[in-house]
Amino acid sequence: MKEIEFVDLRTGYLLTGFEDFESAFSASEQLCGKGFKVAYLNEATHVRDLEVRDFARCFGDPDGKKYQNYHYILREQAKAKASESLKTAMEVLEQKSRRSARYIMVVNTNK
């Protein structure tokens, strides 16, 4: 199996992606064997905001919550929804790994 690439969501979670479900499932077994806990696995096009709020980095503003745009280090161009934030993390992951991610997995880094 190839080396698994991650994007640090800066919330105690890491995001990774896979081209197909079989690869994601196989990687989940490998990661669990290394002490990681799979917190979320879904097809990238089916991510719902409510499901991923705990994973994306959040900034509290007087106007409401904003979520990290992972293309930037600071709060620049923060996103209104957690699912939009995770999408930016997925884009960073795809640039890093040079392949598309049809399935995304979020793992807990607290081993």
Side-chain angles (χ1 to χ4, degrees), residues 18-92:
F18 303 92
E19 295 172 343
D20 55 55
F21 182 77
E22 291 78 18
S23 298
F25 184 76
S26 175
S28 70
E29 291 178 333
Q30 178 185 0
L31 290 167
C32 288
K34 291 182 179 181
F36 289 93
K37 180 180 177 187
V38 175
Y40 184 77
L41 173 61
N42 202 351
E43 194 168 349
T45 58
H46 290 76
V47 175
R48 293 194 175 148
D49 201 62
L50 186 61
E51 297 172 334
V52 296
R53 283 187 190 154
D54 292 339
F55 310 132
R57 186 175 182 198
C58 178
F59 305 113
D61 290 338
D63 300 336
K65 290 183 177 181
K66 299 283 185 178
Y67 295 90
Q68 176 84 42
N69 181 335
Y70 290 95
H71 289 288
Y72 302 95
I73 295 171
L74 302 174
R75 297 180 185 204
E76 298 125 76
Q77 298 188 24
K79 299 295 182 180
K81 294 182 177 182
S83 56
E84 294 170 349
S85 173
L86 219 60
K87 183 179 178 183
T88 67
M90 188 177 72
E91 291 166 354
V92 169

Side-chain angles (χ1 to χ4, degrees), residues 5-10 13-16 70 88-94 96:
E5 296 277 350
F6 293 100
V7 170
D8 184 353
L9 299 176
R10 299 182 191 114
Y13 294 96
L14 301 172
L15 175 78
T16 190
Y70 290 95
T88 67
M90 188 177 72
E91 291 166 354
V92 169
L93 177 69
E94 288 176 337
K96 186 177 178 180

